[in-house]
Amino acid sequence: MESSPPRRVLILGGGFAGIYTALGIERMARADDRVEVTLVSRENYFLFTPMLCEVISSQIDTTHAINPIRRMFRRARFVEGEADGIDLQRRIVTVLYPNGQQDAYPYDHLVLAVGATTGFFGMQDVQQHAITAKTLGDAIYLRNWAIELLEMAAVEKDPALRAELLTFVVGGGGFTGVEVAGELNDLVHRALPAYRTIAPSDVRVVLVEMKSRLLPEFNERLATFAMRALRARGVDVRVNTAVAGATDREVRIKDGDAIPTRTLVWTSGVAPHAFVSHCGLPTDGKGWITVDAHFRVPNCAGVWALGDCARVPDGLHPGKFQPALAQHAIREAHQLAANILATMRGEPTRPFRYRTMGQLATLGHFNGIGTLGPLQVSGFAAWAIWRTYYLWRLPRLEKRLRVATDWTVDLLFGRDISQIQTYRASEVQEHDAIPEVAPASGDPKARDRSQTRT
Ligand SMILES: Cc1cc2nc3c(=O)[nH]c(=O)nc-3n(C[C@H](O)[C@H](O)[C@H](O)COP(=O)(O)OP(=O)(O)OC[C@H]3O[C@@H](n4cnc5c(N)ncnc54)[C@H](O)[C@@H]3O)c2cc1C
């Protein structure tokens, strides 16, 4: 009897690379229900990172930049958990569940798509005090924190302390740093009409970049446009210098200057994932998984890797690697899905080749830059293209409608500056509630409370 070919695909990571690999297999193997896809990820949602800065600046609701993974799949199975180890000999992955239990997942094809982490160039103080801009939690925290600082500054009488509260430092002038600086500046300035004791000139957003110019991803002309546009909106852009350290009250700059501030947003470095370094797969010496142009991990049968966690060779530029970008991760995923199915059928796989279509970045309200093939755009046109393109790329109609509605409401009514308080009633109970048992007479609090009652 002919044995059936191995068809269990286990995908680790629910970001662009993992989700689109699962979706690609679902679509391409629609007629073959013997193909089983399981995706394991730490969160039960897919984060659309290009819109993360819009969450920070309160332009869209916190849940509109994410999609529940279970709603994205038709057949693939989703498991919320954290991959903890791989047994390459027995072809199993250990997964830890949120309830503390664990299971072993067997695979015929294993896809590593766990992304990367933020790097701090060995600066532990920066790591300790900075806020990163990578996860949904980061965005919610940063938005809340900025609003909290406005509330504190609104009642602060000491001018030096007030200046400290109203100074925001962003470390790193790449893609994310520029978008964060632009959006944070926008959030704070657009909130100010509601804070009558704070003047626009009291607020300072500082963007610090080590290299001689911003945005190495773009050409000189667009990078200069971005720098001028940010400066025109009051952002203090400092190039040729770097963040050298941080405490909870200041950021030290390389030239010796110290900026008093309560906020350092760190967007500068990327570092390999710790799971990748201890799971026993071959890495390039720096901790990135090495793969060939077909996404195969060498000497590990049935193991594939893609996206930000892997060094995927750039087929069009020998010696170079694919950049850590969502648009690349999506195309890689499409090719990997085809390669896995080809392997199951005993057909040849194809190497990945992809040329970046273009890039778009927002600089805050109504402003942006971008390249679309040979075309360069800046200003309102780039901003409008950014919105149209990313709205179209956002998965699921429901979320597109929600984001489009958020944008419209934002244009008409301005930013929502309510903080998302997450304390529970039980936490304030002792402070707020009148005790159910009457306090002993003589207790001074007894008088106060009885007065409150009447
Ligand atoms: C703020 C921001 C804005 C960006 N804007 C753009 C943009 O405009 N255009 C663009 O092209 N790119 C952009 N990027 C880059 C893009 O987001 C990344 O290149 C892309 O997310 C990489 O996809 P990935 O699937 O490899 O990794 P990720 O998206 O990071 O996904 C990794 C997933 O793996 C999960 N995971 C990690 N460890 C484990 C484990 N042990 N077990 C199970 N699951 C695990 C994580 O929780 C996560 O869900 C942006 C990035 C950021 C941070």
Side-chain angles (χ1 to χ4, degrees), residues 218-240:
F218 288 91
N219 64 29
E220 181 97 39
R221 195 182 80 77
L222 289 174
T224 306
F225 178 92
M227 188 165 74
R228 288 195 185 133
L230 288 175
R231 283 184 173 156
R233 288 195 173 166
V235 177
D236 175 0
V237 181
R238 300 186 185 187
V239 289
N240 279 321

mmCIF file of all heavy atoms in Angstrom, residues 218-240:
data_model
loop_
_atom_site.group_PDB
_atom_site.id
_atom_site.type_symbol
_atom_site.label_atom_id
_atom_site.label_comp_id
_atom_site.label_asym_id
_atom_site.label_seq_id
_atom_site.Cartn_x
_atom_site.Cartn_y
_atom_site.Cartn_z
ATOM 1 N N PHE A 218 15.201 55.542 2.694
ATOM 2 C CA PHE A 218 14.785 56.424 1.598
ATOM 3 C C PHE A 218 16.000 57.177 1.046
ATOM 4 O O PHE A 218 17.045 57.244 1.691
ATOM 5 C CB PHE A 218 13.750 57.440 2.103
ATOM 6 C CG PHE A 218 12.417 56.819 2.389
ATOM 7 C CD1 PHE A 218 12.122 56.336 3.655
ATOM 8 C CD2 PHE A 218 11.448 56.713 1.402
ATOM 9 C CE1 PHE A 218 10.889 55.759 3.935
ATOM 10 C CE2 PHE A 218 10.211 56.142 1.670
ATOM 11 C CZ PHE A 218 9.936 55.666 2.940
ATOM 12 N N ASN A 219 15.814 57.771 -0.149
ATOM 13 C CA ASN A 219 16.941 58.534 -0.706
ATOM 14 C C ASN A 219 17.089 59.875 0.016
ATOM 15 O O ASN A 219 16.231 60.289 0.790
ATOM 16 C CB ASN A 219 16.803 58.709 -2.227
ATOM 17 C CG ASN A 219 15.568 59.540 -2.583
ATOM 18 O OD1 ASN A 219 15.143 60.397 -1.807
ATOM 19 N ND2 ASN A 219 15.001 59.285 -3.746
ATOM 20 N N GLU A 220 18.189 60.535 -0.283
ATOM 21 C CA GLU A 220 18.562 61.792 0.399
ATOM 22 C C GLU A 220 17.461 62.854 0.296
ATOM 23 O O GLU A 220 17.137 63.531 1.271
ATOM 24 C CB GLU A 220 19.864 62.300 -0.255
ATOM 25 C CG GLU A 220 20.415 63.555 0.331
ATOM 26 C CD GLU A 220 21.510 63.280 1.354
ATOM 27 O OE1 GLU A 220 22.313 62.362 1.120
ATOM 28 O OE2 GLU A 220 21.530 63.982 2.383
ATOM 29 N N ARG A 221 16.865 62.958 -0.907
ATOM 30 C CA ARG A 221 15.862 64.022 -1.117
ATOM 31 C C ARG A 221 14.659 63.831 -0.188
ATOM 32 O O ARG A 221 14.217 64.768 0.476
ATOM 33 C CB ARG A 221 15.407 64.015 -2.587
ATOM 34 C CG ARG A 221 14.663 65.267 -2.986
ATOM 35 C CD ARG A 221 14.197 65.200 -4.430
ATOM 36 N NE ARG A 221 12.981 64.405 -4.595
ATOM 37 C CZ ARG A 221 11.751 64.813 -4.283
ATOM 38 N NH1 ARG A 221 11.565 66.025 -3.786
ATOM 39 N NH2 ARG A 221 10.710 64.040 -4.463
ATOM 40 N N LEU A 222 14.140 62.588 -0.136
ATOM 41 C CA LEU A 222 12.965 62.339 0.702
ATOM 42 C C LEU A 222 13.310 62.416 2.187
ATOM 43 O O LEU A 222 12.512 62.891 3.000
ATOM 44 C CB LEU A 222 12.347 60.978 0.357
ATOM 45 C CG LEU A 222 11.655 60.923 -1.008
ATOM 46 C CD1 LEU A 222 11.205 59.504 -1.338
ATOM 47 C CD2 LEU A 222 10.462 61.872 -1.077
ATOM 48 N N ALA A 223 14.524 61.966 2.524
ATOM 49 C CA ALA A 223 14.943 62.042 3.932
ATOM 50 C C ALA A 223 15.037 63.508 4.364
ATOM 51 O O ALA A 223 14.634 63.864 5.483
ATOM 52 C CB ALA A 223 16.282 61.341 4.119
ATOM 53 N N THR A 224 15.545 64.363 3.481
ATOM 54 C CA THR A 224 15.645 65.793 3.802
ATOM 55 C C THR A 224 14.247 66.403 3.923
ATOM 56 O O THR A 224 13.979 67.208 4.809
ATOM 57 C CB THR A 224 16.459 66.535 2.717
ATOM 58 O OG1 THR A 224 17.701 65.853 2.584
ATOM 59 C CG2 THR A 224 16.711 67.981 3.079
ATOM 60 N N PHE A 225 13.353 65.984 3.019
ATOM 61 C CA PHE A 225 11.969 66.475 3.095
ATOM 62 C C PHE A 225 11.385 66.119 4.464
ATOM 63 O O PHE A 225 10.763 66.954 5.132
ATOM 64 C CB PHE A 225 11.122 65.848 1.980
ATOM 65 C CG PHE A 225 9.681 66.270 2.030
ATOM 66 C CD1 PHE A 225 9.233 67.375 1.313
ATOM 67 C CD2 PHE A 225 8.764 65.587 2.831
ATOM 68 C CE1 PHE A 225 7.909 67.787 1.392
ATOM 69 C CE2 PHE A 225 7.440 65.991 2.922
ATOM 70 C CZ PHE A 225 7.011 67.091 2.187
ATOM 71 N N ALA A 226 11.606 64.864 4.885
ATOM 72 C CA ALA A 226 11.048 64.411 6.169
ATOM 73 C C ALA A 226 11.618 65.230 7.321
ATOM 74 O O ALA A 226 10.888 65.653 8.221
ATOM 75 C CB ALA A 226 11.349 62.925 6.368
ATOM 76 N N MET A 227 12.924 65.479 7.273
ATOM 77 C CA MET A 227 13.557 66.225 8.368
ATOM 78 C C MET A 227 12.985 67.646 8.435
ATOM 79 O O MET A 227 12.632 68.133 9.512
ATOM 80 C CB MET A 227 15.071 66.269 8.171
ATOM 81 C CG MET A 227 15.791 66.864 9.357
ATOM 82 S SD MET A 227 17.539 66.523 9.324
ATOM 83 C CE MET A 227 18.061 67.637 8.056
ATOM 84 N N ARG A 228 12.857 68.279 7.270
ATOM 85 C CA ARG A 228 12.318 69.655 7.261
ATOM 86 C C ARG A 228 10.866 69.673 7.725
ATOM 87 O O ARG A 228 10.448 70.571 8.454
ATOM 88 C CB ARG A 228 12.420 70.246 5.854
ATOM 89 C CG ARG A 228 13.861 70.555 5.497
ATOM 90 C CD ARG A 228 13.934 71.474 4.277
ATOM 91 N NE ARG A 228 15.316 71.661 3.895
ATOM 92 C CZ ARG A 228 15.791 71.578 2.669
ATOM 93 N NH1 ARG A 228 14.971 71.316 1.675
ATOM 94 N NH2 ARG A 228 17.056 71.773 2.419
ATOM 95 N N ALA A 229 10.103 68.675 7.287
ATOM 96 C CA ALA A 229 8.677 68.650 7.657
ATOM 97 C C ALA A 229 8.523 68.479 9.170
ATOM 98 O O ALA A 229 7.702 69.141 9.798
ATOM 99 C CB ALA A 229 7.976 67.507 6.928
ATOM 100 N N LEU A 230 9.350 67.608 9.763
ATOM 101 C CA LEU A 230 9.262 67.410 11.211
ATOM 102 C C LEU A 230 9.681 68.681 11.946
ATOM 103 O O LEU A 230 9.039 69.105 12.908
ATOM 104 C CB LEU A 230 10.139 66.226 11.644
ATOM 105 C CG LEU A 230 9.628 64.841 11.243
ATOM 106 C CD1 LEU A 230 10.645 63.764 11.612
ATOM 107 C CD2 LEU A 230 8.294 64.507 11.915
ATOM 108 N N ARG A 231 10.771 69.300 11.461
ATOM 109 C CA ARG A 231 11.244 70.539 12.120
ATOM 110 C C ARG A 231 10.188 71.638 12.003
ATOM 111 O O ARG A 231 9.965 72.392 12.945
ATOM 112 C CB ARG A 231 12.566 70.996 11.507
ATOM 113 C CG ARG A 231 13.719 70.150 12.034
ATOM 114 C CD ARG A 231 15.058 70.614 11.527
ATOM 115 N NE ARG A 231 16.137 69.890 12.194
ATOM 116 C CZ ARG A 231 17.349 69.719 11.693
ATOM 117 N NH1 ARG A 231 17.652 70.230 10.515
ATOM 118 N NH2 ARG A 231 18.261 69.047 12.370
ATOM 119 N N ALA A 232 9.520 71.710 10.838
ATOM 120 C CA ALA A 232 8.492 72.744 10.655
ATOM 121 C C ALA A 232 7.354 72.565 11.657
ATOM 122 O O ALA A 232 6.687 73.528 12.021
ATOM 123 C CB ALA A 232 7.953 72.693 9.232
ATOM 124 N N ARG A 233 7.158 71.324 12.104
ATOM 125 C CA ARG A 233 6.093 71.082 13.095
ATOM 126 C C ARG A 233 6.611 71.153 14.526
ATOM 127 O O ARG A 233 5.933 70.752 15.458
ATOM 128 C CB ARG A 233 5.475 69.717 12.855
ATOM 129 C CG ARG A 233 4.645 69.749 11.604
ATOM 130 C CD ARG A 233 3.740 68.591 11.486
ATOM 131 N NE ARG A 233 2.874 68.815 10.338
ATOM 132 C CZ ARG A 233 2.143 67.903 9.780
ATOM 133 N NH1 ARG A 233 2.139 66.701 10.270
ATOM 134 N NH2 ARG A 233 1.394 68.190 8.745
ATOM 135 N N GLY A 234 7.857 71.588 14.647
ATOM 136 C CA GLY A 234 8.393 71.822 15.988
ATOM 137 C C GLY A 234 9.212 70.680 16.557
ATOM 138 O O GLY A 234 9.694 70.767 17.685
ATOM 139 N N VAL A 235 9.397 69.592 15.787
ATOM 140 C CA VAL A 235 10.205 68.474 16.315
ATOM 141 C C VAL A 235 11.684 68.882 16.252
ATOM 142 O O VAL A 235 12.153 69.384 15.225
ATOM 143 C CB VAL A 235 9.969 67.171 15.513
ATOM 144 C CG1 VAL A 235 10.859 66.046 16.021
ATOM 145 C CG2 VAL A 235 8.508 66.758 15.581
ATOM 146 N N ASP A 236 12.380 68.677 17.350
ATOM 147 C CA ASP A 236 13.807 69.008 17.427
ATOM 148 C C ASP A 236 14.579 67.791 16.889
ATOM 149 O O ASP A 236 14.800 66.820 17.611
ATOM 150 C CB ASP A 236 14.124 69.295 18.912
ATOM 151 C CG ASP A 236 15.587 69.546 19.170
ATOM 152 O OD1 ASP A 236 16.374 69.512 18.216
ATOM 153 O OD2 ASP A 236 15.931 69.764 20.350
ATOM 154 N N VAL A 237 14.952 67.837 15.597
ATOM 155 C CA VAL A 237 15.630 66.680 14.977
ATOM 156 C C VAL A 237 17.136 66.856 15.143
ATOM 157 O O VAL A 237 17.699 67.864 14.701
ATOM 158 C CB VAL A 237 15.273 66.556 13.480
ATOM 159 C CG1 VAL A 237 15.965 65.338 12.865
ATOM 160 C CG2 VAL A 237 13.774 66.469 13.277
ATOM 161 N N ARG A 238 17.772 65.898 15.793
ATOM 162 C CA ARG A 238 19.224 65.975 15.981
ATOM 163 C C ARG A 238 19.889 64.794 15.289
ATOM 164 O O ARG A 238 19.658 63.645 15.677
ATOM 165 C CB ARG A 238 19.578 65.920 17.458
ATOM 166 C CG ARG A 238 18.954 67.050 18.236
ATOM 167 C CD ARG A 238 19.459 67.011 19.642
ATOM 168 N NE ARG A 238 18.793 68.002 20.448
ATOM 169 C CZ ARG A 238 19.137 68.274 21.697
ATOM 170 N NH1 ARG A 238 20.127 67.610 22.262
ATOM 171 N NH2 ARG A 238 18.492 69.174 22.381
ATOM 172 N N VAL A 239 20.707 65.079 14.270
ATOM 173 C CA VAL A 239 21.427 63.996 13.589
ATOM 174 C C VAL A 239 22.893 64.029 14.028
ATOM 175 O O VAL A 239 23.318 64.948 14.734
ATOM 176 C CB VAL A 239 21.301 64.117 12.047
ATOM 177 C CG1 VAL A 239 19.894 63.776 11.593
ATOM 178 C CG2 VAL A 239 21.687 65.498 11.566
ATOM 179 N N ASN A 240 23.643 62.997 13.616
ATOM 180 C CA ASN A 240 25.068 62.894 13.978
ATOM 181 C C ASN A 240 25.304 62.835 15.479
ATOM 182 O O ASN A 240 26.343 63.269 15.972
ATOM 183 C CB ASN A 240 25.854 64.092 13.419
ATOM 184 C CG ASN A 240 26.173 63.877 11.967
ATOM 185 O OD1 ASN A 240 26.490 62.761 11.557
ATOM 186 N ND2 ASN A 240 26.055 64.938 11.184
#
